[in-house]
């Protein structure tokens, strides 16, 4: 099947081009094909950002079991890449004085959190009634995964949300923390997070086929997924806005988002700095399981930390940030290095493609120091 490839532009100063030239579109295409064969992935899209501009967008393979082609405008599930977009939106609210990163969330609510009635859209806050530590939570803690929650309440015994450690004292990945911040914005500030994301993020960057909920016009060019055993899984038509991961997007659109994030467009210098600053060290061997024991100090990666909505690191090319996103049938990653404002964004509608992510990023950007083993644990990667 012939891939759809869009090469927009590649404009670099002469000396930088000679020393650090990105591979040509045809070479990236060929490497993607090679790694798809190696992983047996059915569909894969990749975008390249340089100097804060989208310079290449590729889409190869199939978008569904019928064999329809994956294209740069195919709607794909972004999964937890949503968290980075949500954090970017929240930081705009910080710039406007609507919310303070360090003010306890209780200041924005008209009653104690556990007194709100349980709603399917959110976690059961009522189960926190005997643990006053929820009052310590701030937006900064929630965006940097230091809430003390597990990833989601439904993973807990009897689905009861619990605080497992004092808020703010360690990193443990939690989608529920982002959902709580969404709750604060919606119930405390009276905002509609879906509309705010549309206005402040998607419209700003011209992301015309991106949404926090299902849209009927997505159906004409939509990606299903493939699981690890090669079976297909239909695209989930999400009916609720979920800050932790409901965003649908396209290769074109997610590339525009990454370019905007690495440029810092739409944020004050202070808020952009906060997003990609090391907020708190990450002290576990891997991201999942989320509540695993911390490593002894001598075994921790000292350049790995939580940012706001992203993970930050330092490597051979200097400071970088990234965010992954996956479920049983989707694998995504967005990786940016500050020097040269360069990014690679990968959307895979086949979870088997994740095994190729380190090789693909290395092929495009060279060695970045991205913490792949922390992100994916013991997964075997192809070369």
């Amino acid at each position: 099947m012939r891939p759809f490839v869009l090469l927009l532009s590649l404009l670099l100063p002469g000396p930088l081009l000679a020393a650090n030239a990105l591979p040509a579109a045809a070479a990236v295409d060929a490497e993607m094909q090679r790694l798809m064969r190696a992983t047996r992935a059915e569909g894969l899209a990749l975008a390249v950002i340089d100097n804060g501009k989208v310079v290449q967008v590729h889409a190869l393979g199939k978008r569904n079991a019928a064999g329809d082609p994956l294209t740069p405008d195919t709607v794909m599930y972004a999964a937890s890449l949503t968290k980075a977009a949500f954090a970017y939106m929240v930081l705009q609210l910080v710039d406007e004085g609507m919310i303070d990163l360090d003010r306890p969330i209780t200041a924005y609510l008209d009653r104690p959190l556990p007194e709100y009635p349980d709603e399917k859209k959110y976690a059961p806050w009522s189960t926190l009634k005997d643990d006053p530590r929820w009052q310590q939570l701030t937006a900064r803690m929630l965006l940097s995964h230091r809430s003390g929650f597990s990833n989601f309440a439904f993973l807990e015994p009897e689905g009861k949300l619990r605080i497992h450690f004092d808020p703010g004292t360690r990193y443990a990945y939690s989608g529920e923390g982002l959902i709580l911040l969404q709750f604060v914005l919606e119930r405390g500030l009276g905002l509609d997070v879906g509309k705010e994301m549309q206005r402040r993020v998607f419209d700003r960057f011209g992301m015309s086929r991106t949404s926090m909920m299902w849209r009927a016009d997505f159906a004409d060019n939509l990606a299903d997924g493939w699981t690890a055993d090669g079976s297909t899984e239909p695209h989930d038509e999400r009916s609720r806005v979920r800050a932790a991961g409901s965003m649908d997007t396209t290769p074109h659109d997610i590339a525009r988002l990454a370019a905007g994030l690495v440029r810092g467009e739409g944020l004050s210098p202070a808020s952009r700095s906060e997003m990609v600053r090391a907020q708190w060290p990450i002290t576990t061997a891997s991201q999942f399981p989320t509540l695993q024991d911390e490593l002894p100090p001598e075994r921790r990666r000292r350049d790995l930390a939580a940012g706001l909505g992203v993970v930050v690191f330092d490597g051979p090319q200097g400071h970088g940030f990234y965010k992954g996103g996956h479920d049983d049938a989707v694998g995504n990653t967005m990786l940016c290095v500050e020097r040269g404002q360069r990014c690679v964004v990968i959307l895979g509608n086949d979870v088997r493609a994740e095994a190729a992510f380190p090789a693909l990023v290395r092929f495009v950007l060279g060695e970045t120091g991205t913490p792949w083993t922390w992100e994916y644990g013991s997964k075997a990667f192809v070369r």
Side-chain angles (χ1 to χ4, degrees):
M1 179 179 297
R2 293 183 63 185
F4 289 75
V5 179
L6 177 67
L7 177 59
L8 300 176
S9 64
L10 182 56
L11 300 173
L12 285 172
L16 183 58
L17 180 62
N20 299 293
L22 296 172
V28 175
D29 217 39
E31 183 69 357
M32 290 174 66
Q33 291 174 329
R34 182 186 74 82
L35 290 168
M36 287 178 68
R37 290 192 295 270
T39 60
R40 296 184 296 168
E42 296 284 0
L44 186 64
L46 180 148
V48 182
I49 289 85
D50 186 41
N51 282 342
K53 298 179 181 179
V54 181
V55 296
Q56 296 180 25
V57 181
H58 306 250
L60 282 71
K62 307 172 185 176
R63 65 178 176 89
N64 55 27
D68 294 321
L70 189 71
T71 77
D73 294 311
T74 296
V75 172
M76 306 175 73
Y77 178 43
S80 285
L81 298 187
T82 309
K83 293 179 174 71
F86 176 69
Y88 167 84
M89 186 274 287
V90 172
L91 286 168
Q92 291 184 38
L93 301 178
V94 171
D95 280 338
E96 295 170 17
M98 297 182 69
I99 193 166
D100 187 301
L101 288 173
D102 297 309
R103 191 178 187 190
I105 61 167
T106 184
Y108 300 100
L109 301 174
D110 61 9
R111 71 183 88 166
L113 179 65
E115 293 184 8
Y116 283 86
D118 293 343
E119 300 177 61
K120 189 175 182 180
K121 182 177 180 179
Y122 308 112
W125 314 127
S126 63
T127 61
L128 299 175
K129 66 181 184 304
D130 296 324
D131 191 340
R133 290 180 294 176
W134 70 267
Q135 298 175 63
Q136 303 170 24
L137 292 166
T138 66
R140 187 187 302 275
M141 292 177 192
L142 299 175
L143 289 174
S144 58
H145 296 276
R146 293 184 288 140
S147 63
F149 299 147
S150 62
N151 195 6
F152 289 105
F154 68 78
L155 300 172
E156 296 275 26
E158 300 179 346
K160 293 183 178 180
L161 189 65
R162 297 170 54 204
I163 297 177
H164 291 265
F165 55 83
D166 288 345
T169 60
R170 61 164 288 191
Y171 177 100
Y173 191 85
S174 176
E176 215 65 89
L178 279 289
I179 296 298
L180 175 53
L181 186 52
Q182 176 183 347
F183 178 84
V184 171
L185 299 184
E186 294 184 332
R187 294 293 181 268
L189 298 184
L191 300 176
D192 182 319
V193 165
K195 290 181 179 178
E196 294 298 323
M197 292 289 289
Q198 185 66 48
R199 179 171 69 89
R200 295 174 178 274
V201 185
F202 310 148
D203 291 348
R204 173 184 289 276
F205 296 126
M207 300 167 67
S208 61
R209 285 177 64 80
T210 298
S211 176
M212 292 292 283
M213 290 198 318
W214 171 255
R215 285 180 6 203
D217 62 302
F218 289 167
D220 65 338
N221 190 356
L222 181 69
D224 295 329
W226 278 268
T227 62
D229 65 4
S231 58
T232 56
E233 186 170 296
H235 191 99
D236 187 350
E237 299 179 5
R238 289 167 176 80
S239 60
R240 291 177 292 168
V241 171
R242 298 274 288 175
S246 68
M247 184 170 71
D248 279 326
T249 191
T250 71
H252 264 152
D253 282 3
I254 199 68
R256 295 183 178 107
L257 174 64
L261 293 181
V262 79
R263 292 194 308 268
E265 181 179 328
L267 295 179
S268 69
S271 285
R272 172 49 169 69
S273 177
E274 285 297 317
M275 185 172 187
V276 300
R277 179 177 71 80
Q279 299 283 333
W280 198 264
I282 289 175
T283 55
T284 53
S286 57
Q287 183 165 218
F288 299 103
T290 60
L291 293 168
Q292 65 187 273
D293 291 340
E294 296 178 282
L295 291 170
E298 65 273 13
R299 292 180 54 198
R300 298 173 186 174
R301 180 167 165 169
R302 299 186 183 280
D303 66 334
L304 181 63
L308 299 180
V310 295
V311 166
V312 301
F313 64 94
D314 293 296
Q317 299 184 42
H319 194 62
F321 64 91
Y322 88 102
K323 184 72 193 79
H326 19 219
D327 64 11
D328 289 343
V330 166
N332 305 322
T333 198
M334 176 173 62
L335 176 284
C336 297
V337 290
E338 298 280 74
R339 190 177 75 188
Q341 296 184 337
R342 288 181 162 183
C343 308
V344 171
V345 190
I346 305 173
L347 299 180
N349 63 320
D350 188 325
V351 75
R352 294 172 293 186
E354 289 181 324
F357 286 3
L360 270 174
V361 171
R362 191 178 305 113
F363 182 81
V364 176
L365 293 181
E367 185 54 60
T368 60
T370 308
W372 298 114
T373 55
W374 178 80
E375 173 79 12
Y376 291 106
S378 60
K379 178 182 286 293
F381 299 115
V382 300
R383 292 185 172 273

